[in-house]
Amino acid sequence: MLLAWVVLSLAGMLPYALSGMTTWLDAWFDAVATVTTTGLVVCPAVYVQALPSFWLWHSALGWLGGLQFLAFVVTVLPLVSTSLTMSVQGRQNVSFSPMVHPMLGRTAKVLAIYVGITVAAILLYLAAGATLYEAVVQAGLTVSTTGGIGVLSPDSLFVELAALLPLLVVSGNFLLYLKGGERRSLRTIFTDAEWQVMAGIIIVATGIAAGQLWHDGGYTAAGSAVQGLFHVLSFLSTTGMMAGAVSSWPELDKGVLFILPFMGASMASLAGGLRVMRLIILCKMAKNELNRTIHPHMVISFTVNGRAVETNVVSFVLAYFFLFMTTYFVSAIILSLAGITPLQALGMAVGCLTSVGATAPLFGLTDIWALPVWFKLYSTVVMIVGRMEIFALCILIKTVLQAARRPW
């Protein structure tokens, strides 16, 4: 799976480089950012002047990158991430086998869901007044959560309204969609604890952002609600589509948008970040430890989706949280050596790690082409690390090192 991201990026960079619009290094950066659905671009001006074929390749590459991640989520990741299956094992048994045929079967079913969401997004953009070409390109960037610069401007109210449903759907758990389809029950999806908590986060974050925009941003009540909901879904799903006026938003709103990528969306979604399920487990664990401090002899346990959370799951979530935050802060420190501001370094680090490139321009980092070579190379490494969910990458590195020691 690691090699697949590298190979897809190497193949994807060829049109960028052969077009003559960018250097080979910048082409590699843009290809990795697209394949990992981060959506960062070295020089936005290049995309403004790009040919339609260039945009189609960019959208298709991001769409394939999203499909690659879904294949990783439904095959390899459940075998190394015990917290991944918490939201689908509460009401029915789900078995994940390392055998090829079950993996292919799950991948085919998830592919059907992925294609269905893409077609629905195309129809929504067509209804918003886009041409077929614009709808196809924008749907590929939206559904894959690549986002970033697109052929349709998010400043348009109709574009924002058309994107709301696809952004909400891709924030959900694709394994849960699979179970809901097999059981032919939407109740399976909407009664899921992770989905309900995610909906609560969307409502609260939208309320804060919309209220601040209405009070201090000069928007009408309806305009602030649409702007707030669109950008909350965009950052929570780690799509990163952003209207041009966001850079001038009140600081509170920008702070809310900055925090959302850390949460990510549902487990087994296309989003990056810590994911809502892990945050639920961390919050419940913190509450239990507080009760244990007050009542040392109390026997405490907690459940998610009606299933008791086992000790090994809690240990995994704690280890993952430590690795994630350590990687984030170390990356921010390293990136700050390029001479950018601390906020820009923090935004760039979280953007690469959670695959939402919009956190970098949120604090004014728009043109990356002038930054050092090592900055771009290190950023691409962090992007791939983020897509590999860190823990899976650590297991791979440990296995390789153990294999290398055996001959000695």
Side-chain angles (χ1 to χ4, degrees), residues 211-228:
Q212 188 71 8
L213 284 177
W214 178 69
H215 186 266
D216 296 328
Y219 288 84
T220 63
S224 62
V226 173
Q227 286 285 320

PDB file of all heavy atoms in Angstrom, residues 211-228:
ATOM      1  N   GLY A 211     -22.637  32.438  13.723  1.00  0.00           N
ATOM      2  CA  GLY A 211     -22.952  33.534  14.641  1.00  0.00           C
ATOM      3  C   GLY A 211     -21.913  34.639  14.610  1.00  0.00           C
ATOM      4  O   GLY A 211     -22.244  35.830  14.600  1.00  0.00           O
ATOM      5  N   GLN A 212     -20.646  34.251  14.560  1.00  0.00           N
ATOM      6  CA  GLN A 212     -19.575  35.244  14.511  1.00  0.00           C
ATOM      7  C   GLN A 212     -19.576  35.988  13.179  1.00  0.00           C
ATOM      8  O   GLN A 212     -19.336  37.199  13.117  1.00  0.00           O
ATOM      9  CB  GLN A 212     -18.229  34.553  14.732  1.00  0.00           C
ATOM     10  CG  GLN A 212     -17.048  35.493  14.886  1.00  0.00           C
ATOM     11  CD  GLN A 212     -17.065  36.259  16.199  1.00  0.00           C
ATOM     12  OE1 GLN A 212     -17.888  35.969  17.067  1.00  0.00           O
ATOM     13  NE2 GLN A 212     -16.187  37.238  16.349  1.00  0.00           N
ATOM     14  N   LEU A 213     -19.842  35.261  12.082  1.00  0.00           N
ATOM     15  CA  LEU A 213     -19.906  35.907  10.765  1.00  0.00           C
ATOM     16  C   LEU A 213     -21.059  36.903  10.700  1.00  0.00           C
ATOM     17  O   LEU A 213     -20.938  37.992  10.138  1.00  0.00           O
ATOM     18  CB  LEU A 213     -20.078  34.852   9.661  1.00  0.00           C
ATOM     19  CG  LEU A 213     -18.850  34.038   9.278  1.00  0.00           C
ATOM     20  CD1 LEU A 213     -19.207  32.997   8.230  1.00  0.00           C
ATOM     21  CD2 LEU A 213     -17.733  34.938   8.766  1.00  0.00           C
ATOM     22  N   TRP A 214     -22.181  36.531  11.258  1.00  0.00           N
ATOM     23  CA  TRP A 214     -23.359  37.410  11.255  1.00  0.00           C
ATOM     24  C   TRP A 214     -23.132  38.646  12.129  1.00  0.00           C
ATOM     25  O   TRP A 214     -23.556  39.742  11.787  1.00  0.00           O
ATOM     26  CB  TRP A 214     -24.574  36.636  11.740  1.00  0.00           C
ATOM     27  CG  TRP A 214     -25.815  37.470  11.813  1.00  0.00           C
ATOM     28  CD1 TRP A 214     -26.529  37.996  10.766  1.00  0.00           C
ATOM     29  CD2 TRP A 214     -26.487  37.880  13.000  1.00  0.00           C
ATOM     30  NE1 TRP A 214     -27.607  38.710  11.228  1.00  0.00           N
ATOM     31  CE2 TRP A 214     -27.606  38.655  12.599  1.00  0.00           C
ATOM     32  CE3 TRP A 214     -26.264  37.665  14.365  1.00  0.00           C
ATOM     33  CZ2 TRP A 214     -28.496  39.216  13.525  1.00  0.00           C
ATOM     34  CZ3 TRP A 214     -27.152  38.224  15.280  1.00  0.00           C
ATOM     35  CH2 TRP A 214     -28.244  38.989  14.856  1.00  0.00           C
ATOM     36  N   HIS A 215     -22.392  38.435  13.240  1.00  0.00           N
ATOM     37  CA  HIS A 215     -22.179  39.541  14.181  1.00  0.00           C
ATOM     38  C   HIS A 215     -21.068  40.474  13.732  1.00  0.00           C
ATOM     39  O   HIS A 215     -21.200  41.701  13.811  1.00  0.00           O
ATOM     40  CB  HIS A 215     -21.860  38.967  15.566  1.00  0.00           C
ATOM     41  CG  HIS A 215     -21.766  40.013  16.642  1.00  0.00           C
ATOM     42  ND1 HIS A 215     -20.570  40.601  17.013  1.00  0.00           N
ATOM     43  CD2 HIS A 215     -22.727  40.596  17.411  1.00  0.00           C
ATOM     44  CE1 HIS A 215     -20.793  41.478  17.971  1.00  0.00           C
ATOM     45  NE2 HIS A 215     -22.092  41.496  18.238  1.00  0.00           N
ATOM     46  N   ASP A 216     -19.949  39.892  13.253  1.00  0.00           N
ATOM     47  CA  ASP A 216     -18.770  40.708  12.936  1.00  0.00           C
ATOM     48  C   ASP A 216     -18.320  40.630  11.478  1.00  0.00           C
ATOM     49  O   ASP A 216     -17.470  41.417  11.065  1.00  0.00           O
ATOM     50  CB  ASP A 216     -17.579  40.298  13.819  1.00  0.00           C
ATOM     51  CG  ASP A 216     -17.841  40.564  15.297  1.00  0.00           C
ATOM     52  OD1 ASP A 216     -18.560  41.531  15.602  1.00  0.00           O
ATOM     53  OD2 ASP A 216     -17.335  39.795  16.126  1.00  0.00           O
ATOM     54  N   GLY A 217     -18.844  39.691  10.719  1.00  0.00           N
ATOM     55  CA  GLY A 217     -18.328  39.490   9.370  1.00  0.00           C
ATOM     56  C   GLY A 217     -19.079  40.204   8.277  1.00  0.00           C
ATOM     57  O   GLY A 217     -18.693  40.132   7.104  1.00  0.00           O
ATOM     58  N   GLY A 218     -20.179  40.843   8.603  1.00  0.00           N
ATOM     59  CA  GLY A 218     -20.931  41.575   7.592  1.00  0.00           C
ATOM     60  C   GLY A 218     -21.815  40.712   6.716  1.00  0.00           C
ATOM     61  O   GLY A 218     -22.239  41.153   5.642  1.00  0.00           O
ATOM     62  N   TYR A 219     -22.132  39.488   7.139  1.00  0.00           N
ATOM     63  CA  TYR A 219     -22.997  38.599   6.367  1.00  0.00           C
ATOM     64  C   TYR A 219     -24.432  38.700   6.883  1.00  0.00           C
ATOM     65  O   TYR A 219     -24.674  39.044   8.050  1.00  0.00           O
ATOM     66  CB  TYR A 219     -22.539  37.145   6.486  1.00  0.00           C
ATOM     67  CG  TYR A 219     -21.265  36.826   5.746  1.00  0.00           C
ATOM     68  CD1 TYR A 219     -20.019  37.066   6.322  1.00  0.00           C
ATOM     69  CD2 TYR A 219     -21.299  36.264   4.480  1.00  0.00           C
ATOM     70  CE1 TYR A 219     -18.845  36.757   5.654  1.00  0.00           C
ATOM     71  CE2 TYR A 219     -20.123  35.944   3.801  1.00  0.00           C
ATOM     72  CZ  TYR A 219     -18.912  36.195   4.395  1.00  0.00           C
ATOM     73  OH  TYR A 219     -17.755  35.883   3.734  1.00  0.00           O
ATOM     74  N   THR A 220     -25.394  38.365   6.010  1.00  0.00           N
ATOM     75  CA  THR A 220     -26.777  38.234   6.452  1.00  0.00           C
ATOM     76  C   THR A 220     -26.917  36.938   7.244  1.00  0.00           C
ATOM     77  O   THR A 220     -26.011  36.098   7.253  1.00  0.00           O
ATOM     78  CB  THR A 220     -27.731  38.204   5.250  1.00  0.00           C
ATOM     79  OG1 THR A 220     -27.431  37.049   4.453  1.00  0.00           O
ATOM     80  CG2 THR A 220     -27.577  39.474   4.400  1.00  0.00           C
ATOM     81  N   ALA A 221     -28.054  36.755   7.902  1.00  0.00           N
ATOM     82  CA  ALA A 221     -28.266  35.550   8.698  1.00  0.00           C
ATOM     83  C   ALA A 221     -28.210  34.299   7.823  1.00  0.00           C
ATOM     84  O   ALA A 221     -27.555  33.310   8.160  1.00  0.00           O
ATOM     85  CB  ALA A 221     -29.608  35.635   9.425  1.00  0.00           C
ATOM     86  N   ALA A 222     -28.894  34.346   6.651  1.00  0.00           N
ATOM     87  CA  ALA A 222     -28.890  33.185   5.757  1.00  0.00           C
ATOM     88  C   ALA A 222     -27.506  32.966   5.159  1.00  0.00           C
ATOM     89  O   ALA A 222     -27.021  31.826   5.073  1.00  0.00           O
ATOM     90  CB  ALA A 222     -29.925  33.382   4.645  1.00  0.00           C
ATOM     91  N   GLY A 223     -26.845  34.044   4.734  1.00  0.00           N
ATOM     92  CA  GLY A 223     -25.517  33.929   4.151  1.00  0.00           C
ATOM     93  C   GLY A 223     -24.499  33.381   5.130  1.00  0.00           C
ATOM     94  O   GLY A 223     -23.662  32.546   4.776  1.00  0.00           O
ATOM     95  N   SER A 224     -24.561  33.843   6.381  1.00  0.00           N
ATOM     96  CA  SER A 224     -23.621  33.351   7.390  1.00  0.00           C
ATOM     97  C   SER A 224     -23.860  31.882   7.697  1.00  0.00           C
ATOM     98  O   SER A 224     -22.909  31.120   7.933  1.00  0.00           O
ATOM     99  CB  SER A 224     -23.736  34.192   8.670  1.00  0.00           C
ATOM    100  OG  SER A 224     -25.036  34.092   9.224  1.00  0.00           O
ATOM    101  N   ALA A 225     -25.125  31.442   7.669  1.00  0.00           N
ATOM    102  CA  ALA A 225     -25.429  30.035   7.937  1.00  0.00           C
ATOM    103  C   ALA A 225     -24.865  29.139   6.839  1.00  0.00           C
ATOM    104  O   ALA A 225     -24.251  28.100   7.117  1.00  0.00           O
ATOM    105  CB  ALA A 225     -26.944  29.839   8.058  1.00  0.00           C
ATOM    106  N   VAL A 226     -25.062  29.535   5.563  1.00  0.00           N
ATOM    107  CA  VAL A 226     -24.552  28.733   4.446  1.00  0.00           C
ATOM    108  C   VAL A 226     -23.028  28.720   4.447  1.00  0.00           C
ATOM    109  O   VAL A 226     -22.395  27.668   4.299  1.00  0.00           O
ATOM    110  CB  VAL A 226     -25.084  29.274   3.107  1.00  0.00           C
ATOM    111  CG1 VAL A 226     -24.425  28.544   1.934  1.00  0.00           C
ATOM    112  CG2 VAL A 226     -26.597  29.122   3.033  1.00  0.00           C
ATOM    113  N   GLN A 227     -22.415  29.903   4.633  1.00  0.00           N
ATOM    114  CA  GLN A 227     -20.956  29.988   4.651  1.00  0.00           C
ATOM    115  C   GLN A 227     -20.379  29.162   5.798  1.00  0.00           C
ATOM    116  O   GLN A 227     -19.394  28.438   5.625  1.00  0.00           O
ATOM    117  CB  GLN A 227     -20.526  31.448   4.794  1.00  0.00           C
ATOM    118  CG  GLN A 227     -20.702  32.289   3.550  1.00  0.00           C
ATOM    119  CD  GLN A 227     -19.640  31.995   2.511  1.00  0.00           C
ATOM    120  OE1 GLN A 227     -18.471  31.794   2.820  1.00  0.00           O
ATOM    121  NE2 GLN A 227     -20.043  31.962   1.258  1.00  0.00           N
ATOM    122  N   GLY A 228     -20.994  29.280   6.963  1.00  0.00           N
ATOM    123  CA  GLY A 228     -20.499  28.542   8.122  1.00  0.00           C
ATOM    124  C   GLY A 228     -20.601  27.048   7.937  1.00  0.00           C
ATOM    125  O   GLY A 228     -19.644  26.305   8.179  1.00  0.00           O
TER     126      GLY A 228
END
